[in-house]
Amino acid sequence: MVILAFFPRAWIPQMMAILTAFKIMVAVLLTRCYLKYMGIKEWTARFAALCAGLSGYVSFFVGFPSFVSAVVYVPMILWGIEKVIKERKPGILVWSLFLEGITSFFLLVVLCIFGVLYALWRYFWTIKTRTAKENGIVIGMGVASFAVGLCLSCFTLLPSVRESALSGRSMSIGTAYLAAVKASLSSHDLRSFFSLTFEMVGDHPGRELMGLLSFFFPTAGHLALPLARSSYDGWTASL
């Protein structure tokens, strides 16, 4: 989006098309690098990288530049996590989180959640290949890498979070819903918690908050979530 500011307004559609093609190319190359680093065969890595770069996600969100950029940062984050675990090198992870943070704080939250889950899975999967000291270093370096990446992007992250907190979507019914979720957890009522997680919230389905389910699953179509029937309007999440 910053690059578009240097060109006339009439050029925006053409520049968005060029930049989208560039993002897809970079996403394909980075996905190949990540897969090759994981020991995948060359042609398999190339094919999988093309599938990632030309996925339905890209086709659907082609009108949202910051969402398409996430295709670039996902393999960077995964590659960076692997670098920390295997080589104790945090550079790629820190820069990928920083770039995602200044591009889209909205997706930064999602990618951090799944990045941590991926890191934990890979850490315990490979824990026997390291000494106890090395395992401690990996944990410390991983936490520090996420923290540094988030701190570097805080000049855009914090104002974005503030504005989102002041919006109507985080007030009234949203506050009531999150309060109910917290109450179910504090009372150890797991039945109510899971019921709320998969429950559609609000009488007006077009713009009200959805259940926590919508936070973890991108939309499959313009008017539907993949695991829940709704008429939500095509965003990845609602919280």
Side-chain angles (χ1 to χ4, degrees), residues 7-187:
F7 295 89
R9 181 177 296 180
W11 291 19
I12 289 179
Q14 293 82 357
M15 291 303 301
M16 284 187 63
I18 294 172
L19 289 174
T20 299
F22 177 76
K23 291 175 184 177
I24 292 173
M25 179 189 71
V26 175
V28 169
L29 292 175
L30 288 175
T31 303
R32 175 196 168 276
C33 290
Y34 162 66
L35 293 174
K36 287 293 293 180
Y37 188 78
M38 296 297 292
I40 305 300
K41 293 181 179 180
E42 178 65 38
W43 284 102
T44 304
R46 291 183 183 184
F47 178 75
L50 285 173
C51 290
L54 302 175
S55 64
Y57 173 90
V58 176
S59 299
F60 180 77
F61 285 115
V62 71
F64 299 87
S66 61
F67 279 47
V68 176
S69 298
V71 179
V72 176
Y73 303 133
V74 167
M76 280 187 68
I77 292 173
L78 298 180
W79 189 13
I81 291 172
E82 293 294 337
K83 280 280 190 177
V84 171
I85 292 176
K86 295 181 180 180
E87 302 180 42
R88 270 70 78 189
K89 294 181 179 179
I92 294 177
L93 179 57
V94 170
W95 282 108
S96 60
L97 292 171
F98 164 69
L99 291 173
E100 177 57 44
I102 64 175
T103 302
S104 174
F105 86 98
F106 191 72
L107 289 174
L108 176 66
V109 177
V110 180
L111 293 180
C112 281
I113 291 173
F114 286 101
V116 170
L117 292 176
Y118 175 86
L120 289 173
W121 170 62
R122 289 294 297 156
Y123 172 81
F124 287 109
W125 187 268
T126 60
I127 193 170
K128 293 184 178 180
T129 63
R130 297 179 299 272
T131 64
K133 180 180 179 180
E134 290 173 336
N135 284 325
I137 293 174
V138 168
I139 292 177
M141 187 168 292
V143 172
S145 298
F146 272 91
V148 172
L150 293 174
C151 287
L152 288 175
S153 63
C154 67
F155 68 95
T156 60
L157 176 62
L158 295 181
S160 299
V161 171
R162 179 182 181 277
E163 288 301 313
S164 298
L166 296 176
S167 69
R169 300 177 76 187
S170 61
M171 308 297 285
S172 63
I173 190 169
T175 302
Y177 173 67
L178 291 179
V181 172
K182 291 178 181 178
S184 66
L185 285 175
S186 61
S187 62

